[in-house]
Amino acid sequence: MDSHERKILDFEHRWWKYPGAKEQAIRDEFAMSATRYHQLLNALIDRPEALAHDPLLVRRLRRQRSRRLRSGSRRPLAAEA
């Protein structure tokens, strides 16, 4: 896992500390769209290195994704966080 991927997980862990909307914080922090950020995050949480880096966060995000897939919802990965 590279430093950019670690920054994504760290941001996801603490994003609520940013003032304003999460989408704007993503653009400010990573210079990418929220859609691209969530695509990367979704792929990242399947990796064992991500689980080792922040097991509580990764397990929570995996549970949210599983619930979302079962319900058919199309909300972004961290919208329930």
Side-chain angles (χ1 to χ4, degrees):
M1 193 167 65
D2 64 26
S3 65
H4 183 68
E5 292 166 332
R6 280 190 295 279
K7 286 179 185 179
I8 289 174
L9 287 177
D10 293 342
F11 174 84
E12 190 62 31
H13 187 87
R14 63 178 163 65
W15 75 266
W16 52 270
K17 295 180 181 179
Y18 287 87
K22 183 177 182 182
E23 289 78 15
Q24 184 61 48
I26 290 168
R27 283 191 292 275
D28 294 345
E29 184 86 11
F30 299 105
M32 70 174 73
S33 71
T35 300
R36 181 64 182 143
Y37 169 86
H38 286 103
Q39 289 170 341
L40 293 172
L41 180 61
N42 191 44
L44 186 56
I45 65 171
D46 287 329
R47 297 182 43 205
E49 303 90 15
L51 184 62
H53 178 75
D54 193 337
L56 294 176
L57 173 69
V58 170
R59 286 186 190 118
R60 179 173 55 85
L61 294 174
R62 286 176 178 177
R63 281 192 310 271
Q64 289 174 353
R65 179 177 61 187
S66 292
R67 280 193 302 261
R68 201 176 59 255
L69 290 173
R70 281 193 306 270
S71 71
S73 175
R74 294 208 182 272
R75 284 187 291 193
L77 180 67
E80 300 170 39

